[in-house]
């Protein structure tokens, strides 16, 4: 049973025992949208943007193990609208000013908006009050843009072996905090940490390197996020 | 047959979207063949004179005059289009939504480091439109039919959108023309 078949949108796909739906799909050149998932990190299952149905039930493809004969639906109108709704909610519940963000063009949230054809979110903008922590000499934290994917937390803990960040608060008050104090400057965060590169949005940025790539040549200017998987390129 | 009419306005915007419209370059001659301009900063007509096919809204609503204007557009335009990030999301002016209005005004007229205002008063003449409590995207004030994000949307995006709407075709822009920045 180490190798078996599942179907994704009716197409037969080979899967190995221990693989998630998302991994099996990716090997077959099928892109399932994702934001909190990052190769090299344990699956987290936080953002739900990778939602598919498996044997009729919604689940997160980044955490759900593939099983023999599993019938996965990835591109139904219902699934696509569910994901689009989630991404729209991320846009209204933070303060995402793309027009001056250093991450614009290389941002995975923005790229998801483009790929899903979001011209404007269907929900009212909340304009929450969020803080900026510019205390660290080389790293900027802008909570206005954070989507709570925990990639920084997990990367710092599991890759850098440092535990610089953690979540505090619940529900709408949940946010990323610095474990060792109130400011990033009080932590042992370093600009060479993998965690600094892990953020999908512009919430965690290296200082003094913004806007280096001209408009038109940035990561998602020409082709949608995920097309490297669909075209079978190494990402 | 009379040409369809188009009206445009800049509410709480920077005129960048109108500059982008002018950026269609020589295609502006084609546009003049296709439509007649009604109320617009381009011809300085102050009120919509006849029913318009298309109304282009730049900017969100930050004061009571913006609301009056957008309502005039909604009443008189068959199709209303939010053009640019300020109209679709509030845009840069909506940064003030993160600060209470009273604090904004006090910073601008009383406490700001470069303010010289011996009277210590905040302007309150009835000629000045009252500010709204916050900046609203166009579709949170009136019904908007189409949204063209971008800061500003490119000339090509505007050109493609206007042509599709005039031809009564579905507005489906290619990937490269939809941008939030
Ligand atoms: S700061 Fe970035 S990486 Fe960390 S949780 Fe927020 S969005 Fe994710
Ligand atoms: S990518 Fe699967 S839940 Fe975030």
């Amino acid at each position: 049973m180490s190798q078996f078949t599942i179907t994704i949108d009716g197409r037969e796909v080979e899967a190995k025992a221990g693989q998630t739906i998302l991994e099996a799909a990716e090997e077959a050149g099928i892109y399932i949208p994702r934001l909190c998932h990052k190769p090299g990190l344990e699956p987290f299952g936080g953002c739900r943007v990778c939602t598919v149905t498996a044997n009729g039930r919604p689940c997160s493809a980044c955490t759900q193990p593939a099983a023999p004969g599993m019938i996965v639906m990835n591109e139904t109108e219902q699934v696509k609208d569910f994901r689009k709704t989630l991404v729209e909610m991320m846009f209204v519940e933070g303060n995402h000013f793309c027009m001056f963000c250093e991450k614009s063009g290389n941002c995975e949230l923005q790229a998801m908006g483009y790929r899903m054809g979001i011209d404007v979110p269907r929900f009212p903008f909340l304009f929450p009050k969020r803080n900026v922590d510019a205390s660290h000499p080389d790293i900027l934290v802008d909570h206005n843009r954070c989507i709570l994917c925990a990639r920084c937390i997990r990367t710092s803990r599991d890759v850098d072996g440092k535990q610089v960040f953690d979540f505090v608060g619940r529900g709408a008050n949940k946010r990323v905090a610095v474990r060792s104090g109130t400011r990033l400057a009080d932590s042992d965060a370093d600009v060479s940490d993998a965690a600094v590169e892990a953020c999908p949005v512009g919430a965690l940025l290296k200082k003094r390197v913004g806007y280096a790539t001209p408009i038109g040549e940035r990561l998602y200017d020409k082709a949608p996020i995920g097309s490297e998987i669909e075209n079978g390129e190494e990402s | 047959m009379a040409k369809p009419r188009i009206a445009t306005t800049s509410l709480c915007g920077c005129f960048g979207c109108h500059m982008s419209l002018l950026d269609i370059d020589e295609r502006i001659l084609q546009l003049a063949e296709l439509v007649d301009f009604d109320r617009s900063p381009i011809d300085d007509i102050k009120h919509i004179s006849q029913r318009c096919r298309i109304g282009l809204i730049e900017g969100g609503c930050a004061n009571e005059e913006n609301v009056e204007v957008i309502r005039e557009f909604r009443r008189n335009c068959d199709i209303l289009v939010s053009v640019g990030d300020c109209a679709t999301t509030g845009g840069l002016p909506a940064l003030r939504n993160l600060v209470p209005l009273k604090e904004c005004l006090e910073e601008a007229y009383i406490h700001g480091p470069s303010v010289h205002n011996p009277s210590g008063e905040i302007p309150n003449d009835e000629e000045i439109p009252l500010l709204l409590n916050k900046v609203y995207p166009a579709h949170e004030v009136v019904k908007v039919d189409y949204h063209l994000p971008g800061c500003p949307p490119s000339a090509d995006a505007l050109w493609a959108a206007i042509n599709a709407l005039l031809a009564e075709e579905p507005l489906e822009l290619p990937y490269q023309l939809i941008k939030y920045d």
Side-chain angles (χ1 to χ4, degrees), chain B residues 150-163:
Chain B
C151 190
S154 67
D156 288 340
L158 281 160
W159 180 243
I162 292 170
N163 277 288

Side-chain angles (χ1 to χ4, degrees), chain A residues 22 33-37 44-50 60-63:
Chain A
L22 186 135
R34 75 291 300 265
L35 282 173
C36 72
H37 179 75
F44 181 63
C47 74
R48 317 311 278 186
V49 168
C50 66
S60 56
C62 72
T63 53

Side-chain angles (χ1 to χ4, degrees), chain A residues 5-227:
Chain A
T5 315
I6 64 174
T7 68
I8 301 180
D9 294 329
R11 191 182 132 195
E12 292 205 347
V13 167
E14 290 296 311
K16 296 191 233 3
Q19 258 184 339
T20 62
I21 296 173
L22 186 135
E23 287 163 344
E26 189 157 329
E27 266 188 31
I30 297 170
Y31 174 71
I32 299 175
R34 75 291 300 265
L35 282 173
C36 72
H37 179 75
K38 191 169 188 295
L41 297 180
E42 286 284 304
F44 181 63
C47 74
R48 317 311 278 186
V49 168
C50 66
T51 296
V52 293
T53 60
N55 297 335
R57 295 174 55 153
C59 63
S60 56
C62 72
T63 53
Q64 183 67 43
M70 196 177 243
I71 298 167
V72 176
M73 300 307 280
N74 177 39
E75 291 281 328
T76 66
E77 287 312 310
Q78 183 205 22
V79 166
K80 285 197 294 189
D81 190 61
F82 181 81
R83 295 170 181 159
K84 190 174 173 191
T85 304
L86 285 172
V87 173
E88 289 174 25
M89 292 192 320
M90 288 182 205
F91 271 104
V92 299
E93 71 188 14
N95 297 307
H96 298 280
F97 290 87
C98 293
M99 69 293 286
F100 64 77
C101 181
E102 291 175 37
K103 192 80 171 194
S104 193
N106 301 311
C107 170
E108 293 178 34
L109 176 67
Q110 184 190 62
M112 211 56 80
Y114 292 165
R115 182 179 168 110
M116 295 176 172
I118 297 173
D119 48 8
V120 77
R122 283 166 285 183
F123 310 104
F125 290 93
L126 298 181
F127 297 111
K129 181 110 185 86
R130 304 254 193 98
N131 290 332
V132 173
D133 176 357
S135 62
H136 194 283
D138 304 314
I139 306 164
L140 175 78
V141 190
D142 186 343
H143 293 281
N144 289 287
R145 302 166 180 161
C146 177
I147 58 168
L148 304 175
C149 69
R151 275 161 55 163
C152 58
I153 298 173
R154 292 177 288 145
T155 306
S156 182
R157 185 189 62 208
D158 301 338
V159 180
D160 298 326
K162 280 190 170 181
Q163 307 206 23
V164 169
F165 304 101
D166 212 339
F167 282 134
V168 294
R170 287 282 176 271
N173 298 317
K174 185 170 174 176
R175 63 184 172 83
V176 169
V178 176
R179 285 175 68 99
S180 55
T182 51
R183 308 178 321 150
L184 194 63
D186 305 328
S187 75
D188 56 352
D190 187 86
V191 68
S192 63
D193 289 355
V196 182
E197 308 276 359
C199 184
V201 295
L204 207 52
L205 289 171
K206 282 185 189 171
K207 291 184 177 177
R208 297 178 297 277
V209 293
Y211 314 114
T213 318
I215 290 175
E217 291 171 28
R218 301 167 304 181
L219 222 41
Y220 306 117
D221 277 338
K222 294 203 187 81
I225 188 169
S227 42

